[in-house]
């Protein structure tokens, strides 16, 4: 019997429509813009990996988590870093355990060949995220996070795996996915990813949200803050993003800032006071020169 062609791995159609994707992501607490809902739906419908690029803190990682939560899939994450290699990404052999077995059985009657087969079996394999995602019996969302931090070689490995969703372990043979994982690759664009990888994926750029969407995100993530204050918070953050800062505040920081106001018991007696903004700017901005630049631009009083 010929092996099942890998391309027939079931493409899990998880979302019925763009609206369905938006609604179900929303139920998990992820508020998707039109472009996020559309591209997520298409990536699923076409069975293509989703490459998400954009500045830090705009909801790239969170999107993968939300897709997993919305579809009841297991999230398997490969966190990339400089030097991440095949043995960390795909699989490695458990050398310590192999050595123990060799020591225990080297005098056994079966001989070296049997021992070698034995120690290169499943029992001694340590699956890393990519192999774990391929082998999983249950539906999986595979998150390859911050791919731009990894060396370019890892892209070659990903291309192979994302091409046919199978992995060959020389000692064990070829392992093909039964469920095609929903793959999300994220990048902060600190380096260009290869054209070959881009071609394989659907591309989604997530930028800072519109004021309207950001207000809804803040209301959801920092419940209890007065509506007028939420609007002021978002207006302030959006203003700061227009300045040329080293690190513009992200959605994560907007939410932190809103929670700060809640913690301080801020009430809606008009706009945010200049003193309040000055004293808490460190929640939004993480570099002293950014804080100084913002203080000038916003005309904040000296402390
Ligand atoms: N669309 C969104 N809906 C809800 N929360 C969001 C959204 N975008 C960003 N966030 C918030 O921002 C935080 C940071 O998002 P994250 O996915 O970690 O950013 P990134 O991976 O892009 O650096 C999340 O934990 C979440 O609280
Ligand atoms: Mg992230």
């Amino acid at each position: 019997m010929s092996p099942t062609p890998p391309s027939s791995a079931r493409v899990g159609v998880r979302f019925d429509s763009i609206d369905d994707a938006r609604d179900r992501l929303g139920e998990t607490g992820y508020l998707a813009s039109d472009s996020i809902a559309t591209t997520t739906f298409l990536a699923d419908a076409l069975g293509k990996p989703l490459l998400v690029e954009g500045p830090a803190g705009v909801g790239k990682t969170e999107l993968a988590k939300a897709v997993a939560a919305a579809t009841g899939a297991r999230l398997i994450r490969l966190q990339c870093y400089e030097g991440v290699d095949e043995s960390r990404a795909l699989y490695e052999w458990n050398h310590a355990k192999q050595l123990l077995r060799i020591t225990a059985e080297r005098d056994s009657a079966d001989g070296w060949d049997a021992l070698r087969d034995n120690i290169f079996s499943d029992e001694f394999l340590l699956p890393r995220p990519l192999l774990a995602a391929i082998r999983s019996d249950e539906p999986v969302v595979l998150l390859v996070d911050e791919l731009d931090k990894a060396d370019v070689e890892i892209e070659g490995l990903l291309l192979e795996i994302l091409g046919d969703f199978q992995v060959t372990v020389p000692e064990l043979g070829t392992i093909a996915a039964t469920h095609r994982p929903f793959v999300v690759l994220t990048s902060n664009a600190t380096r260009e990813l290869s054209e070959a990888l881009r071609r394989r994926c659907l591309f989604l750029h997530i930028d800072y949200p519109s004021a309207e969407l950001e207000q809804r995100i803040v209301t959801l993530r920092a419940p209890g803050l007065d509506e007028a204050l939420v609007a002021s918070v978002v207006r302030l953050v959006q203003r700061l993003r227009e300045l040329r800062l080293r690190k513009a505040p992200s959605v994560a920081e907007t939410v932190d800032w809103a929670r700060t106001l809640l913690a301080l018991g801020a009430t809606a007696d008009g706009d945010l006071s200049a003193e309040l903004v000055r004293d808490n700017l460190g929640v939004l901005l993480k570099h002293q020169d950014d804080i100084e630049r913002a203080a000038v631009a916003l005309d904040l009083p000296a402390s």
Side-chain angles (χ1 to χ4, degrees):
M1 202 180 76
S2 63
T4 320
S7 55
S8 74
R10 246 184 307 151
V11 177
V13 177
R14 298 154 180 95
F15 299 113
D16 299 333
S17 63
I18 296 171
D19 285 340
D20 181 50
R22 187 190 292 104
D23 292 349
R24 282 165 57 204
L25 291 172
E27 281 163 21
T28 75
Y30 191 88
L31 301 182
S33 64
D34 287 347
S35 69
I36 295 176
T38 304
T39 320
T40 304
F41 166 71
L42 285 177
D44 177 38
L46 303 177
K48 286 207 174 216
L50 182 58
L51 170 59
V52 190
E53 219 168 53
V58 291
K60 302 183 297 295
T61 302
E62 198 73 12
L63 173 60
K65 292 183 185 169
V67 171
T71 58
R74 192 170 132 215
L75 181 77
I76 296 183
R77 179 177 189 164
L78 171 63
Q79 180 62 51
C80 295
Y81 52 88
E82 212 183 313
V84 65
D85 59 3
E86 250 189 68
S87 67
R88 292 284 143 194
L90 192 55
Y91 69 88
E92 64 185 320
W93 291 103
N94 187 338
H95 296 304
K97 196 170 168 190
Q98 286 178 321
L99 217 63
L100 278 175
R101 182 64 59 89
I102 293 170
T103 313
E105 294 193 12
R106 70 183 147 201
D107 300 326
S108 79
D110 295 343
W112 274 107
D113 284 350
L115 186 54
R116 194 189 51 224
D117 288 350
N118 185 296
I119 62 171
F120 286 106
S121 63
D122 214 42
E123 190 190 338
F124 296 87
L125 190 70
L126 294 174
R128 299 302 181 203
L130 298 181
L131 181 59
I134 297 276
R135 288 217 303 192
S136 175
D137 297 332
E138 33 173 0
V140 160
V141 171
L142 171 64
L143 165 62
V144 180
D145 212 11
E146 304 188 345
L147 178 56
D148 52 330
K149 286 196 179 150
D151 308 304
V152 69
E153 291 79 60
I154 212 79
E155 288 180 37
L157 179 66
L158 280 173
L159 271 175
E160 258 179 72
I161 291 171
L162 300 181
D164 45 20
F165 289 96
Q166 63 178 28
V167 170
T168 301
V169 179
E171 296 85 351
L172 296 181
T174 298
I175 301 167
T178 42
H179 296 273
R180 187 185 283 226
F182 186 106
V183 183
V184 179
L185 311 166
T186 80
S187 164
N188 288 338
T190 58
R191 72 169 171 82
E192 278 286 318
L193 303 177
S194 72
E195 282 302 322
L197 189 78
R198 285 175 183 277
R199 264 200 310 277
R200 264 256 191 265
C201 301
L202 287 192
F203 179 70
L204 171 66
H205 182 81
I206 305 188
D207 212 332
Y208 300 115
S210 66
E212 182 271 329
L213 179 58
E214 193 158 20
Q215 283 185 35
R216 287 200 290 126
I217 294 173
V218 170
T219 306
L220 187 78
R221 302 265 161 166
L225 193 63
D226 180 90
E227 220 175 287
L229 272 181
V230 172
S232 306
V233 164
V234 169
R235 222 177 305 123
L236 172 72
V237 170
Q238 300 234 340
R239 171 102 197 273
L240 289 174
R241 285 185 193 136
E242 286 166 8
L243 306 178
R244 291 229 306 247
L245 300 175
R246 262 164 77 173
K247 170 70 182 70
S250 70
V251 181
E253 277 121 18
T254 317
V255 172
D256 280 349
W257 174 236
R259 289 182 180 151
T260 303
L261 296 182
L262 272 175
L264 293 173
T267 48
D269 48 357
D271 213 349
L272 295 165
S273 82
E275 286 76 19
L276 184 71
V277 173
R278 177 198 66 203
D279 293 344
N280 297 287
L281 219 44
V283 178
L284 290 174
L285 303 176
K286 307 301 163 81
H287 295 281
Q288 183 56 23
D289 40 354
D290 283 351
I291 291 180
E292 283 164 13
R293 190 176 296 236
V296 173
L298 301 175
D299 203 13
L300 300 179
S303 50

